[in-house]
Structure formats: structure tokens, C-alpha cells
Amino acid sequence: MPIYKKSPKEDPGNYRPVSLTSVPGKVMEQFILGVLTKHVQDNQGIRPSQHGFMKGRSCLTNLISFYDLVTRLVDEGKAVDVTYLDFNIAFNTVSQP
């Protein structure tokens, strides 16, 4: 059922959709999510180095892991090469729908 937000009521963009989900459905979804996540992680479907879309991990934890690896390799006297890529301009050329 759409709920009115603001401005002219004639504009469909001023409404937000709302749907009600049953409590047993929500509980079942959380249970299935937990089982699937554990299964994928235990079977290395998602590597420990994966930080995106993982609970408790973020861009910051990814950066810290990378920094720790590079400093460890440098401390061991190994050569480290790092290449940075900026995809910002590439995404500006893609037409947006």
C-alpha cells in the first residue's frame, strides 16, 4: 500500500511502497540466511579476504588487511608493487537509465 511522503499528491514519486511481512516469514528468512551464510563461509564459497557485503567487514577492514600484508612483506625484505586504478571516469561514460 503506497504511503504519501510529501509535496504534490498527484506525483507518484511522492509515495513510498509499504508491504507487511508476517513474523513467522521474517523468522524463517533469518534462519535460512544464517544457515546459508555459515555453509558458504565454511566451504570457502566466500574467502576470508572477501570484505564487501560481509557482516563486520567493510572498505576500512579491507584497507587495514591490505596495509598489514604490504607492511609484513616489506618487513620481510620482499619487493612489493602496488597499482592503483581509478574507475571513476570509466563509469561516467556508461549511460544511466
Side-chain angles (χ1 to χ4, degrees):
M1 165 149 226
I3 303 292
Y4 173 70
K5 291 191 300 186
K6 60 179 176 156
S7 299
K9 290 188 174 188
E10 297 79 30
D11 184 7
N14 292 329
Y15 290 84
R16 64 182 170 98
V18 174
S19 65
L20 299 176
T21 306
S22 67
V23 172
K26 290 179 183 181
V27 170
M28 184 60 82
E29 286 176 4
Q30 289 301 312
F31 175 74
I32 292 171
L33 175 64
V35 170
L36 286 175
T37 303
K38 182 169 176 23
H39 173 75
V40 170
Q41 288 176 342
D42 291 348
N43 294 308
Q44 295 295 310
I46 297 178
R47 310 280 304 163
S49 60
Q50 173 71 33
H51 288 262
F53 307 104
M54 295 295 297
K55 188 174 186 174
R57 299 182 191 170
S58 65
C59 291
L60 181 59
T61 60
N62 189 13
L63 182 61
I64 291 168
S65 290
F66 173 75
Y67 180 78
D68 287 343
L69 174 64
V70 169
T71 54
R72 183 172 44 84
L73 292 172
V74 169
D75 289 345
E76 293 172 2
K78 297 182 178 173
V80 178
D81 293 326
V82 178
T83 303
Y84 294 96
L85 301 174
D86 182 5
F87 291 108
N88 189 28
I89 295 173
F91 287 108
N92 287 343
T93 61
V94 176
S95 61
Q96 300 294 323

